[in-house]
């Protein structure tokens, strides 16, 4: 998670294969816009609840990390 | 009897805040009476008598070499060796402090050792001054007077949104990954409520979160403290051990002692301490087997390069 905390950019999207509460807390610390869980990981109920508390969206996708990053990059380029 | 307690439950928070904010160089005496290693005990006795001091550092050039106390002189008198050079009778195993250390380090040193004074070194390891418990008491009295005056003057003038002085303490437990990060979340919320600027909040939150996770992952448990006044945000992490054995390595990016289990949770990349330092305007770390203490200060008004981070 420290690699994420190093990031200086605004409006980050955290793409990860980890689905713990700490992912949400890390995203909250860096003011991320949302979290994408790759590899079809399902977040625990407490994790979803914490994300709601912080106003963070969580999306779970059935994509590997690399493909997910490419897809997000593609969407960003389109917009 | 201890000079002051660093436990927020035992000392007023304004004192704790002052002890954390002030540095040893703000308090120490710079006008130090010294002698050289070849100076005789007789000459030292005369210096002590005329200058009304009970101990003085012995130098070689400007480098600290030892310390002669009034007890050493008395022993020299009893043994009839007053013509001997200081180096034959001085104490060589000294506890020294550094001028850039927070004053809390000096307070702890006075609590830990039964010495009346500690030599203070500069960054070149040369003698910069000497600090006594009286220096600390006098400085704190001056600062408290000043603080009271500022409070009286500023009662009406203080803007509503100006961050005021607050402090909070959060207990953090070993391997409590479930709750790890809660204290940092509360710190972030408090800073938002106090009207601190967004980029500064992010830096403080990163420092607090890294410290908190370090407490959870690597320590036997401890506490996270937030001190906020009109000048700065200060985050302090204290634990009960086991200490960092190699601080230089720990400060390098990528160095980690985390177990596989901790890594599987997404931590232990070896970026924690460098990250805390990166987001801080001032950073201090000390560690021993009894515990580690980290201070990260972020200035509120002095916008430096870190502002963009």
């Amino acid at each position: 998670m420290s690699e994420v905390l190093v990031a200086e950019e605004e409006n980050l999207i955290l793409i990860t294969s980890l689905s713990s509460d700490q992912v949400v807390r890390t995203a909250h610390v860096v003011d991320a816009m949302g979290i994408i869980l790759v590899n079809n990981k399902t977040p625990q109920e407490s994790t979803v609840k914490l994300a709601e508390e912080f106003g963070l969206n969580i999306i779970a996708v059935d994509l590997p990390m690399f493909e997910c990053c490419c897809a997000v990059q593609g969407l960003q380029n389109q917009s | 009897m201890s000079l002051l307690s660093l436990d927020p439950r035992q000392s007023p928070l304004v004192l704790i805040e002052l002890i954390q904010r002030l540095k040893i160089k703000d308090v120490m005496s710079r006008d130090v009476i010294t002698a050289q290693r070849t100076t005789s005990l007789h000459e030292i006795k005369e210096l002590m008598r005329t200058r009304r001091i009970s101990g003085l550092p012995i130098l070689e050039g400007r480098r600290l070499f030892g310390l002669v106390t009034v007890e050493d002189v008395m022993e020299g008198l009893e043994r009839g060796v007053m013509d001997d050079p200081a180096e034959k009778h001085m104490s060589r195993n000294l506890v020294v402090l550094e001028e850039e250390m927070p004053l809390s380090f000096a307070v702890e040193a006075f609590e830990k050792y039964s010495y009346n004074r500690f030599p203070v070194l500069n960054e070149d390891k040369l003698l910069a001054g000497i600090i006594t418990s009286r220096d600390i008491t006098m400085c704190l009295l001056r600062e408290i007077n000043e603080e009271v005056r500022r409070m009286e003057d500023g009662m009406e003038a203080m803007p509503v949104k100006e961050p005021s002085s607050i402090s909070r303490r959060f207990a953090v437990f070993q391997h409590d990954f479930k709750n790890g990060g809660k204290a940092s979340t509360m710190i972030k919320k408090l800073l938002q409520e106090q009207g601190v600027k967004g980029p500064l909040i992010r830096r403080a939150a990163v420092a607090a979160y890294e410290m908190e996770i370090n407490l959870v992952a690597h320590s036997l448990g401890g506490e996270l403290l937030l001190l906020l006044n009109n000048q700065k945000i200060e985050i302090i992490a204290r634990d009960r051990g086991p200490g960092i054995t190699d601080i230089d390595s720990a400060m390098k990016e990528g160095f980690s002692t985390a177990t596989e289990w901790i890594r599987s949770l997404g931590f232990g990349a070896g970026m924690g301490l460098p990250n805390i330092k990166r987001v801080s305007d001032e950073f201090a770390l000390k560690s021993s087997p009894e515990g580690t203490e980290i201070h990260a200060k972020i200035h509120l008004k002095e916008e430096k390069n870190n502002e963009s981070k």
Side-chain angles (χ1 to χ4, degrees):
Chain A
M1 290 297 122
S2 286
E3 296 96 323
V4 178
L5 296 171
V6 172
E8 295 174 9
E9 293 80 6
E10 301 291 316
N11 303 324
L12 292 168
I13 296 172
L14 176 53
I15 305 173
T16 177
S17 59
L18 295 167
S19 60
S20 66
D21 288 4
Q22 294 305 335
V23 170
V24 180
R25 292 198 184 279
T26 302
H28 176 60
V29 165
V30 296
D31 300 321
M33 294 170 68
I35 302 163
I36 301 178
L37 298 182
V38 296
N39 298 332
N40 206 22
K41 288 275 175 72
T42 309
Q44 293 172 2
E45 203 179 316
S46 67
T47 308
V48 175
K49 211 170 169 182
L50 192 61
E52 277 177 7
E53 192 184 312
F54 293 151
L56 282 164
N57 293 309
I58 296 188
I59 303 168
V61 296
D62 188 12
L63 286 173
M65 173 71 83
F66 182 77
E67 287 180 29
C68 181
C69 290
C70 293
V72 171
Q73 183 66 50
L75 286 171
Q76 278 188 335
N77 289 344
Q78 278 178 29
S79 64
Chain B
M1 189 179 73
S2 64
L3 177 70
L4 284 163
S5 171
L6 293 179
D7 184 342
R9 290 164 298 187
Q10 292 174 22
S11 287
L13 287 172
V14 65
L15 272 182
I16 300 287
E17 199 275 337
L18 277 174
I19 293 166
Q20 306 296 359
R21 172 163 61 82
L22 292 169
K23 289 186 174 179
I24 287 175
K25 68 179 179 186
D26 301 325
V27 179
M28 69 184 189
S29 306
R30 292 179 187 275
D31 185 18
V32 186
I33 298 155
T34 62
Q36 294 293 310
R37 54 193 286 196
T38 51
T39 309
S40 70
L41 282 185
H42 177 74
E43 289 171 279
I44 288 173
K45 177 180 76 80
E46 283 305 299
L47 271 174
M48 287 180 170
R49 188 178 64 78
T50 55
R51 306 300 291 268
R52 296 178 177 275
I53 52 174
S54 57
L56 73 170
I58 305 299
L59 307 182
E60 184 180 49
R62 282 187 62 204
R63 193 162 292 280
L64 181 64
F65 202 63
L67 195 77
V68 169
T69 64
V70 72
E71 287 83 11
D72 297 321
V73 171
M74 285 168 68
E75 195 181 323
L77 276 169
E78 279 178 18
R79 292 169 55 195
V81 291
M82 294 300 284
D83 290 329
D84 278 0
E87 65 181 332
K88 280 187 79 174
H89 301 279
M90 66 189 181
S91 309
R92 290 169 189 265
N93 294 325
L94 303 181
V95 178
V96 296
L97 299 169
E98 291 183 18
E99 62 177 354
E100 289 295 332
M101 288 174 169
L103 186 59
S104 60
F105 284 43
V107 172
E108 284 184 4
F110 280 108
E111 282 178 346
K112 189 172 177 183
Y113 303 99
S114 57
Y115 301 143
N116 298 318
R117 67 192 70 74
F118 291 98
V120 181
L121 305 185
N122 63 19
E123 60 182 359
D124 297 322
K125 306 298 176 197
L126 301 176
L127 185 71
I130 203 158
I131 188 165
T132 64
S133 54
R134 186 173 184 277
D135 291 331
I136 298 178
T137 307
M138 295 307 291
C139 179
L140 287 179
L141 280 174
R142 276 197 306 272
E143 290 287 333
I144 288 169
N145 274 338
E146 185 64 18
E147 193 72 28
V148 170
R149 191 190 60 75
R150 272 198 297 268
M151 284 169 70
E152 287 173 350
D153 289 350
M155 281 298 219
E156 291 178 11
M158 191 179 287
V160 176
K161 274 292 177 186
E162 185 76 4
S164 55
S165 180
I166 63 167
S167 51
R168 295 287 187 280
R169 175 181 168 274
F170 306 92
V172 183
F173 301 98
Q174 182 184 26
H175 295 164
D176 184 13
F177 282 98
K178 183 69 189 165
N179 292 303
K182 274 191 178 174
S184 308
T185 302
M186 292 175 77
I187 285 173
K188 184 174 179 182
K189 194 174 169 208
L190 271 165
L191 294 176
Q192 285 168 335
E193 287 170 356
Q194 293 298 314
V196 177
K197 288 185 201 167
L200 299 176
I201 294 176
R202 181 160 163 181
R203 285 167 54 196
V206 168
Y209 188 61
E210 291 283 18
M211 286 182 185
E212 191 174 357
I213 293 300
N214 273 352
L215 287 171
V216 171
H218 300 292
S219 84
L220 302 173
E223 62 185 14
L224 198 65
L225 285 94
L226 164 70
L227 305 171
L228 171 70
N229 59 30
N230 290 333
Q231 306 297 318
K232 60 148 193 347
I233 306 162
E234 182 167 10
I235 314 282
I236 303 165
R238 288 198 192 109
D239 67 45
R240 296 186 285 277
I244 303 169
T245 49
D246 184 350
I247 292 175
D248 288 340
S249 295
M251 290 306 301
K252 287 179 189 154
E253 289 188 3
F255 177 85
S256 175
T257 56
T259 61
E260 281 304 311
W261 168 66
I262 291 171
R263 286 172 197 264
S264 73
L265 297 170
F267 300 104
M271 300 285 287
L273 290 175
N275 257 1
I276 298 166
K277 189 173 182 183
R278 182 182 61 84
V279 297
S280 306
D281 290 316
E282 292 179 58
F283 173 86
L285 183 157
K286 67 169 183 174
S287 187
S288 73
E290 286 74 42
T292 298
E293 184 168 325
I294 302 173
H295 293 249
K297 292 183 191 175
I298 295 165
H299 301 162
L300 292 181
K301 293 190 174 166
E302 199 179 305
E303 297 194 359
K304 54 171 269 185
N305 293 336
N306 250 337
E307 176 74 21
S308 62
K309 290 184 178 176

